[in-house]
């Protein structure tokens, strides 16, 4: 059963331009085949490129720990180099609650 998934990431690097498109490509590779969508906001402050990524959708992950294990395994070196902060929230599906079978 799929669970509601909310992931927030903050990526930062020295200013070089086109950071939002680079982060978009990283997320496409990382979440290929997942039912997740994201919104990216790019800023430039004090000589740094900053991208805030809000990722939402449905996933098979049942906990934040399981999600982090996936990121740890699938995240590229660039992903981890740029990542400066994150929040992970997984809300397990509860079904309809009447019969317990779905």
């Amino acid at each position: 059963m799929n669970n509601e998934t909310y992931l927030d990431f903050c990526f930062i690097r020295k200013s070089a331009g086109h950071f939002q498109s680079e982060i978009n490509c990283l997320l496409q590779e990382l979440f290929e085949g997942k039912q997740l969508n994201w919104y990216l906001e790019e800023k430039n402050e004090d000589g740094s490129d900053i991208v805030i990524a809000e990722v939402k959708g449905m996933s098979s992950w049942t906990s934040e720990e399981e999600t982090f294990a996936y990121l740890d395994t699938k995240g590229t070196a660039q992903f981890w180099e740029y990542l400066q902060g994150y929040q992970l929230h997984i809300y397990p599906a509860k079904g309809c609650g009447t019969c317990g079978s779905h």
Side-chain angles (χ1 to χ4, degrees):
M1 184 175 290
N2 284 333
N3 303 299
E4 289 184 61
T5 302
Y6 297 91
L7 314 173
D8 295 315
F9 299 107
C10 177
F11 300 99
I12 302 175
R13 72 170 182 194
K14 185 176 178 177
S15 188
H18 307 289
F19 196 34
Q20 182 172 329
S21 61
E22 189 171 342
I23 294 302
N24 189 57
C25 289
L26 285 173
L27 295 177
Q28 284 177 339
E29 291 175 18
L30 182 63
F31 298 126
E32 184 177 2
K34 303 287 182 194
Q35 294 177 318
L36 298 170
N37 299 299
W38 48 88
Y39 169 77
L40 304 177
E41 180 183 342
E42 185 174 26
K43 303 177 194 179
N44 187 292
E45 291 184 19
D46 299 324
S48 295
D49 290 331
I50 303 167
V51 171
I52 304 299
E54 296 178 8
V55 181
K56 299 176 183 177
M58 302 299 283
S59 74
S60 59
W61 303 313
T62 59
S63 68
E64 288 80 7
E65 292 80 13
E66 189 176 334
T67 307
F68 189 81
Y70 174 87
L71 295 172
D72 193 36
T73 302
K74 300 288 186 181
T76 64
Q78 265 188 327
F79 174 85
W80 291 108
E81 178 184 339
Y82 296 152
L83 184 66
Q84 299 299 310
Y86 64 90
Q87 288 185 357
L88 312 174
H89 298 284
I90 308 298
Y91 299 100
K94 302 220 186 273
C96 67
T98 57
C99 66
S101 65
H102 53 280

